[in-house]
Amino acid sequence: MPTVLDQILHGVREDLSTRRADLPLERLREVVETAPPARDALAALSAPGGVHLIAEVKRASPSKGALADIPDPAELAAEYAAGGASVISVLTEQRRFGGSLADLDAVRAAVDIPVLRKDFVVDPYQVWEARAHGADLVLLMASALDQEDLVELLALVEELGMHGLLEAHDEEELARCVQAGGRIIGVNARNLKTLEVDPATVTRLLPLVPQGAIGVAESGVTGPASVRDYVAAGARAVLVGEALVTGTEPRRAARELLAAGGRQVDVEETA
């Protein structure tokens, strides 16, 4: 029986075929050739001074359906940046998450900090697409890729000047992310095959991320206490979506999460 992830990937490939027909790879490469260089997401997430926040523009999820309307993703991203976020994550998968490349374009135009394209990347076309739309960081999920594809897609991401956020959910996937050469490695508390969330997955696996890599805790953040738990397990960054988009004050919420992880945001940054 197909898992939730299998179903999502099927839809992703169908939608990718449509976009590829509308904009062939050769034309996409021409767009990339004239695009400004990518921002250094690795440097942004390596700066000392406490945990970093990857704040997400997320309209919906497969498990909970619609989360937030987000009429203006650019405005939300600007609020996140003003609250001290180091990276803005933009979900671009449309069927289950309600995202789009238009959201990525809007966010890229609104902020000067690095932007992550968060999607189910299974094909080199999507990497070129990410760069053409201004992404600096691309999610690569070990659960959705065999090892050869994971390595090859990371190589293309880096060839285009971006960085990869390699994502794992268990020990085997984490070992594969390390073997692939991941310098930014996320541990997801959500099992995308079942949609179950277990924060213990993050606290168990984060200590296994090599010292030289940036360990990112993904999913399961419900507030400052979650951030403290993840930081205690070794998180150098946290990726947060639902807890931010379902609130009414994203700037303040971002600051509170960062404060819980030991990073203080200057008042001037949020004026």
Side-chain angles (χ1 to χ4, degrees):
M1 182 175 178
T3 66
V4 175
L5 179 60
D6 292 332
Q7 295 168 15
I8 292 173
L9 292 176
H10 178 74
V12 163
R13 291 189 174 96
E14 286 189 344
D15 294 339
L16 172 59
S17 295
T18 300
R19 295 198 306 276
R20 197 198 305 267
D22 291 339
L23 183 65
L25 180 57
E26 287 185 8
R27 288 176 53 198
L28 189 60
R29 285 177 169 175
E30 292 173 0
V31 175
V32 170
E33 287 176 3
T34 61
R39 292 161 175 79
D40 192 340
L42 181 64
L45 295 172
S46 299
V51 76
H52 289 274
L53 174 64
I54 304 175
E56 192 155 84
V57 176
K58 182 177 184 179
R59 299 175 183 275
S61 75
S63 60
K64 295 191 176 179
L67 295 172
D69 186 28
I70 313 182
D72 189 345
E75 180 181 1
L76 177 59
E79 285 293 296
Y80 286 157
S86 296
V87 174
I88 307 297
S89 170
V90 184
L91 268 157
T92 58
E93 195 280 331
Q94 62 189 56
R95 298 194 184 197
R96 299 295 188 99
F97 293 88
S100 69
L101 288 165
D103 284 349
L104 184 59
D105 291 336
V107 170
R108 172 71 291 154
V111 299
D112 291 327
I113 59 177
V115 173
L116 162 68
R117 182 188 184 181
K118 193 174 182 207
D119 208 320
F120 297 80
V121 174
V122 293
D123 189 280
Y125 184 93
Q126 293 166 285
V127 177
W128 286 96
E129 204 173 42
R131 184 77 283 273
H133 288 269
D136 313 290
L137 187 62
V138 178
L139 179 69
L140 298 175
M141 300 167 52
S143 59
L145 299 165
D146 63 28
Q147 191 65 7
E148 182 179 357
D149 287 338
L150 182 63
V151 170
E152 290 182 358
L153 288 171
L154 178 59
L156 178 58
V157 165
E158 295 180 345
E159 178 185 329
L160 296 183
M162 301 180 289
H163 287 97
L165 169 56
L166 275 59
E167 179 183 289
H169 180 263
D170 58 30
E171 286 83 355
E172 185 266 341
E173 291 178 3
L174 179 58
R176 289 176 53 212
C177 291
V178 173
Q179 184 181 11
R183 292 186 284 174
I184 306 172
I185 298 177
V187 177
N188 198 339
R190 185 183 303 279
N191 182 340
L192 281 168
K193 296 177 181 178
T194 64
L195 299 183
E196 295 176 354
V197 176
D198 182 5
T201 299
V202 175
T203 55
R204 184 181 79 251
L205 296 182
L206 268 179
L208 304 180
V209 174
Q211 281 287 96
I214 303 292
V216 182
E218 304 177 34
S219 300
V221 173
T222 57
S226 304
V227 174
R228 284 191 287 270
D229 289 343
Y230 284 168
V231 169
R236 294 172 64 185
V238 292
L239 192 157
V240 185
E242 183 179 337
L244 289 172
V245 299
T246 56
T248 57
E249 297 183 77
R251 185 188 302 201
R252 175 175 292 183
R255 292 187 66 195
E256 289 175 351
L257 294 177
L258 286 166
R263 181 173 294 277
Q264 298 297 327
V265 180
D266 294 337
V267 174
E268 291 77 16
E269 293 182 57
T270 61

